[in-house]
Every structure is written in structure tokens, then in C-alpha cells.
Amino acid sequence: MASLKIKYRHSSIEGKAGTLFYQVIHNRVARQINSGYKIYPDEWDIFNSQIIIPAKTGENRHRYLVSLKKCIKEDTSRLKDIMIRFENLGYKYTADEIIEYYSAPPVNEYFVSFCENLIEQLRQIGKMRTTETYTTTLNSFKRFMHSQKRDRDIPFDNVDSNLMIEYEQYLKFQDICPNSTSYYMRNLRAMYNRAVEKELVIQRYPFKHVYTGIDKTIKRAVPAKIIRQIRDMDLSHDSSLEYARDLFMFSFYTRGMSFIDMAYLKKSNLQNGFLSYRRKKTNQQLLIKWEKPMQEIIDKYDTMGSSYLLPIILDAEADERKQYKSAAQLVNSKLKKLGEQIGLPIPLTSYVARHAWASIARSKNIPLATISEAMGHDSENTTRIYLASLDTSVVDKANSIILKTL
């Protein structure tokens, strides 16, 4: 295997600073890399090959030398990583190849840098949801790296099962639940697999010993009597609570429509007594018969001058996604308070409306295939064969039955 030395070259001009350089030796061939770092002879320990800080060093020079020590540590660590990588590749490499690789290292050969570049590419093509998901995951992984004093980037060869097991343990110590841990692992795996596809790394299955499944979560559905109680609450004293409740009920009335789909509903989506839209998550087209309670909510809010049906995205000139996310946070915060007021044993969120609709539909003996179609699921494989010919009037009838139970 190649070896590495740090050496000091004195200046040819007396009193001037000399230069540090790295010497890479492999198969008795020595090559040099000029670091570009300048220090004086009394600042170099020739026996231990390291920078020293003389006693009478000024404050600015002291900071410079401390910074230089950190840079040298990072440079030599990277060079050693390259040497290990070349050794693991199993072919006869040369010292010149190490120098060449170090001088112009492909950014994508390093895991965190690759992930950051991937996220930026996704952002540029408008994949905002994936961008946010990957960013959240990578930030968590970076915090783990920092906790392990691994602030520098890591080569793909160092992304192995041991590292992922360490990361999983870190998440457990942070009291992250198994489903959230799995969420981070699945996203990291997705980014890693992108690198495999680009042939930047050989597939070594670093996630094979960590949990990437999905546990059953606490039941989030509530019965019809709770939905009625939420609907009938007098919230005129607090407009923000009333706003959150109304959007919750609109979601329920529209067969558990997700908040993001509600946010982006346009007035043009409502025509001839039917609300037509595409799910953001699956791109599936859904058609909902317009019912009286839906209109009652729309009539409560002034959306004149807006192309949107609901008062969620208010400023067409501002960032729409930021407005949607801000509204979602507000609504879920207020719903949590509502849930506490009525003594719910589970946190009340906008997603509870979706669970509740499905649960109540099932309790009314509405077929699973009908429920799946109504909610726009694309992973109900056991019901898919029935969905192709399912008449939308069956779904509309199902929704009417549920609304009447209130």
C-alpha cells in the first residue's frame, strides 16, 4: 500500500516562509503535492512532521497556524482515503494516479457531496417534495456525523453496514421512533442507490442490517360521533381554531382529501356539480360529487380575486409551497388543541380526517374496492382488478351515505 509523508521545504531566500508539501510513495516511486501552505522554520517540528506554534506568536498568526493544522489534517485524511480506495479496487495503481485523483477529485465520489448535488438537481427540476424529504434526511445524517466527530465528507467505500448500524443506534439514543428511523434509512438508501445506478460505487448493500420496514402506527381514526362533535363545536370566539376545524371537515367531506391537494384546488376544478382534481402524491385523477356541506365551508371564506378554491394559498405572487406548508403547520397546531379540548386520546391532525373517512366507510360495509377508489390509493393491489370498471356513482353514493351519518 502507498505511504504518505508531510515535508517542509525551506525558502531559498533567507527570512522568508518555506512551503509544506505531501510526499506520496508507492512501489518505491515518490511523487509530491505542493500544499500551498507557507510557514517559517520555527513553526515546523521536523521530527514529528507537524506544525508547532511558538510561544511569542501573535494572535493573527496563531489563528492562521491553527487553521493550517486543520487543513493539513483534512488533506492527509483525504489522501489516505484515496489510497485505501485504490487498494480496495484490487488493481496495480501508481503514485501518479493517486496524485491525479487528489488534484481533481470527482465530487460525486463522496457520499454527502453526491447527496447534496442530487438534492440540488431535484430542486432544479421541480421535485420539491422529494427535495424536502432528502434534505431532512441528509441533515439528520450530518448531525450524526458531527456527533461522531466526522465533519468531513466520506468516500462511498466508507458507507457500509457498520456505519449505518452506528447511525441507527444514534437515532435510537435520540428517541427517534422506529418508523422515523426507517424513514431516514429508506431515503438514504434511495440516494445511495442513485449513486449505484450512476456506477459511482459498487452495490454493497449497506442498509441490509438496519430496519427499513414500517411498523403499525397508533390508530388515527375516530368514530362518526367525534366527527359530529368537531363539526358542531362553537368556535366563533377563535377564528384560527374555526379555520382549522373547517379545513378538517372539508377534508372529511371530500373523502379524506390530503391537505396539499386541498391547498392547490382551483376554482376551475369545480364544474357542473363535481370537483375534479389530481392527487399530488400519485397523479391519479379523482372526481367528487359536490355536496352541500362542502359549499357551506366555501361560502364562509372570502376568496375573491384568488384562483384557489380554499383560503390556504393567499398570495399568488409569493412562494405557493411555503404558504401551503405554513398553513399546514398552523392547522395541525390548532387541531391538536381542538383534540385536547374534547379529550381525544390521539393527536388530532388533518390526516385523522382521512383515516376517519376510511374507517367509517368500512363500518358501513362499503366494499374495500370502493374505499380504495374513493381515496385515490395506488397501492391497494388486492383491489386493483375491481377499480378499472368501478362506476364513480358508486363512490359518490358511498360519500353521501357517510355524510348522512353526521
Side-chain angles (χ1 to χ4, degrees), residues 189-207:
R189 183 177 62 188
M191 290 187 277
Y192 177 87
N193 287 342
R194 291 281 193 108
V196 173
E197 291 171 6
K198 293 178 180 292
E199 299 183 351
L200 295 173
V201 62
I202 298 171
Q203 177 63 270
R204 293 187 176 87
Y205 304 101
F207 301 89

Side-chain angles (χ1 to χ4, degrees), residues 350-379:
S350 57
Y351 208 67
V352 171
R354 186 169 177 82
H355 277 256
W357 192 94
S359 177
I360 296 170
R362 196 62 176 153
S363 71
K364 298 295 178 182
N365 296 318
I366 294 170
L368 184 60
T370 304
I371 297 170
S372 181
E373 174 75 353
M375 303 184 75
H377 287 162
D378 68 346
S379 59

Side-chain angles (χ1 to χ4, degrees), residues 179-277:
N179 277 348
S180 294
T181 297
S182 175
Y183 168 84
Y184 289 135
M185 291 299 179
R186 294 196 310 274
N187 288 324
L188 276 183
R189 183 177 62 188
M191 290 187 277
Y192 177 87
N193 287 342
R194 291 281 193 108
V196 173
E197 291 171 6
K198 293 178 180 292
E199 299 183 351
L200 295 173
V201 62
I202 298 171
Q203 177 63 270
R204 293 187 176 87
Y205 304 101
F207 301 89
K208 62 184 176 182
H209 295 307
V210 295
Y211 181 64
T212 56
I214 300 176
D215 281 350
K216 289 185 177 179
T217 55
I218 297 172
K219 185 179 179 182
R220 285 187 276 188
V222 294
K225 67 177 183 179
I226 296 297
I227 299 296
R228 281 195 296 271
Q229 186 177 358
I230 293 170
R231 181 198 64 187
D232 296 337
M233 292 178 76
D234 181 7
L235 300 172
S236 56
H237 63 284
D238 191 323
S239 59
S240 60
L241 285 176
E242 187 172 25
Y243 170 75
R245 186 271 311 279
D246 288 344
L247 292 181
F248 176 89
M249 292 306 303
F250 187 88
S251 172
F252 182 85
Y253 294 150
T254 54
R255 309 189 317 224
M257 186 185 296
S258 67
F259 196 86
I260 189 170
D261 290 330
M262 288 166 53
Y264 285 93
L265 281 178
K266 295 288 187 77
K267 291 175 180 176
S268 58
N269 292 125
L270 179 57
Q271 294 183 12
N272 303 318
F274 287 90
L275 184 64
S276 174
Y277 74 100

Side-chain angles (χ1 to χ4, degrees), residues 28-92:
R28 299 183 180 180
V29 176
R31 293 290 184 265
Q32 296 179 1
I33 304 172
N34 188 343
S35 71
Y37 306 141
K38 300 281 188 177
I39 61 172
Y40 293 98
D42 64 339
E43 296 170 338
W44 182 248
D45 181 349
I46 191 171
F47 297 106
N48 295 305
S49 297
Q50 64 182 18
I51 289 176
I52 54 175
I53 302 175
K56 296 183 179 181
T57 302
E59 184 178 347
N60 289 341
R61 188 66 183 175
H62 185 279
R63 280 200 299 266
Y64 170 76
L65 292 174
V66 169
S67 173
L68 223 54
K69 290 175 77 170
K70 183 178 179 181
C71 290
I72 291 169
K73 183 179 179 181
E74 290 175 352
D75 290 347
T76 54
S77 292
R78 205 173 92 206
L79 275 165
K80 288 175 183 177
D81 283 342
I82 292 170
M83 293 174 184
I84 292 170
R85 179 178 176 82
F86 275 39
E87 196 71 24
N88 290 340
L89 288 174
Y91 76 96
K92 294 182 179 180

Side-chain angles (χ1 to χ4, degrees), residues 275-332:
L275 184 64
S276 174
Y277 74 100
R278 286 190 179 275
R279 287 197 70 200
K280 291 283 186 182
K281 186 174 182 180
T282 64
N283 200 40
Q284 185 173 347
Q285 182 80 35
L286 294 179
L287 189 67
I288 300 175
K289 184 182 177 182
W290 195 246
E291 300 278 2
K292 182 181 177 182
M294 304 172 193
Q295 186 64 46
E296 288 174 348
I297 289 177
I298 297 300
D299 291 340
K300 284 181 68 173
Y301 296 92
D302 181 10
T303 57
M304 289 289 292
S306 172
S307 62
Y308 290 101
L309 188 64
L310 292 164
I312 298 174
I313 297 174
L314 303 174
D315 186 352
E317 301 298 322
D319 189 317
E320 293 178 343
R321 189 165 182 85
K322 282 185 178 179
Q323 292 180 74
Y324 141 68
K325 291 185 72 176
S326 176
Q329 290 173 358
L330 171 66
V331 166
N332 280 323

